[in-house]
Amino acid sequence: MDRHPGLEAAKAAIRALPPRWTSASERAAGGLWRLPRAADAVEYALAQGADGEEGLRERGWVMVRARVTEEIGSGRDWTREAALWLARGGATWRESARVTGDLAWRARAEGFSALLFLDGAYVTSLDPGTALGRGLWHCFLTTLRYDFRCVAIEEFFDGLPPGRDRADPYTDALRAFALLGRSRTEGLALMEAVVARAGDEEKVVHALLHGLWLGENLPRQASLMLDLLEASAFSGGLLGPEALFRKAGALRRLRQYEPALAAVQSAIDCLDPGEVVVHADCVRERSLILAERSLHAVAGVPAEQGSPGGGGGEGRR
């Protein structure tokens, strides 16, 4: 057994990290990569499964995110670095969705979108049954989602060779997003199937919420958004800022203006200081709520009787 002092020191430093990804843990993890044998210590952490040291595998993914974040800042092909670490760690589809979702958002915001390094033909050639292939599928499709490129997502799936139509739940959620975002009702059936498979995964639910929010005139559109917000992914009862932003939009579509205002204010209150894009989305949503409330008050239209309407902004998850 390797007991190199540098390796043991790096393992101890990783154990001391917070187990969840935050701005503070990112900064701390970034510094740990400068320790001797840091990469070996990360591989050790990722090798810990359900029977390993409590929380150590998740701390390993915190280290991976910090490493890929450095690649994003350098302008190099961060998608390759992410996929290599997902493969080294034998990432599950859930781990891949969580890691690539946040990194794809960050890279896009910093001007180094995954689409600068990946194209549809190359991604199609990869096997999504492997951690590496699945990770690159997630990087590519998630970035298309953030760009609202629903047609490109549909074309990607339509162009797959026979036998490649079986995908993990997050990939299926991204396909459902594209269908819902184009107001295609077949997306509702796919959404229902995805929720049955993985309604406890927050990244899956956020992709579906995003599609419902983007679409127009889908049956029970706003009510379905509120139903998703009751999914087991949010069973702790605490919604993050993006979920609260979606909730506010759904309530506005139903003309429930006071609860909508409360939801969007809660979203603003719990935003990280660096979430400037989502902050702008929330401010726009608040303006829409106030404007619609005023218009309906002048017209004498009662609240809480509306049908789905349009939205605005991006959202990340």
Side-chain angles (χ1 to χ4, degrees), residues 2-12 36-42 44:
D2 191 344
R3 293 289 186 180
H4 187 280
L7 177 59
E8 293 304 312
K11 287 181 184 178
R37 303 290 298 273
D40 293 334
V42 172
Y44 171 82

Side-chain angles (χ1 to χ4, degrees), residues 14 17 29 32-33 38 42 59-68:
I14 292 173
L17 284 172
L32 298 188
W33 277 101
V42 172
R59 289 173 171 86
W61 291 124
V62 170
M63 289 289 292
V64 168
R65 294 187 193 199
R67 175 70 190 93
V68 179

Side-chain angles (χ1 to χ4, degrees), residues 89-171:
T92 66
W93 70 264
R94 293 176 187 271
E95 291 168 332
S96 179
R98 294 167 188 171
V99 170
T100 61
D102 294 340
L103 290 171
W105 174 264
R106 178 156 189 161
R108 178 178 176 272
E110 295 189 13
F112 298 109
S113 164
L115 304 184
L116 295 174
F117 309 105
L118 300 171
D119 61 37
Y122 171 64
V123 176
T124 299
S125 72
L126 301 170
D127 181 2
T130 66
L132 188 147
R134 182 171 55 236
L136 290 175
W137 274 45
H138 287 172
C139 286
F140 179 70
L141 292 169
T142 300
T143 303
L144 289 177
R145 174 194 151 206
Y146 292 153
D147 284 353
F148 290 20
R149 295 176 63 176
C150 298
V151 172
I153 294 175
E154 282 198 67
E155 290 176 347
F156 174 83
F157 284 103
D158 289 343
L160 291 176
R164 285 285 183 88
D165 55 347
R166 295 181 180 179
D168 65 273
Y170 181 62
T171 299

Side-chain angles (χ1 to χ4, degrees), residues 232-281:
S232 56
F234 306 117
S235 60
L238 296 176
L239 301 180
E242 283 86 3
L244 286 164
F245 167 69
R246 305 290 184 211
K247 182 177 183 178
L251 290 168
R252 173 175 56 80
R253 295 176 188 216
L254 294 171
R255 297 182 187 170
Q256 297 181 22
Y257 299 122
E258 299 311 317
L261 284 171
V264 79
Q265 187 58 54
S266 294
I268 292 171
D269 290 343
C270 67
L271 277 170
D272 183 272
E275 294 279 14
V276 292
V277 174
V278 183
H279 184 275
D281 289 345

Side-chain angles (χ1 to χ4, degrees), residues 44-45 51 90 97 179 197 215 239 268 282:
Y44 171 82
D51 298 327
L179 295 170
R197 292 172 66 195
L239 301 180
I268 292 171
C282 290

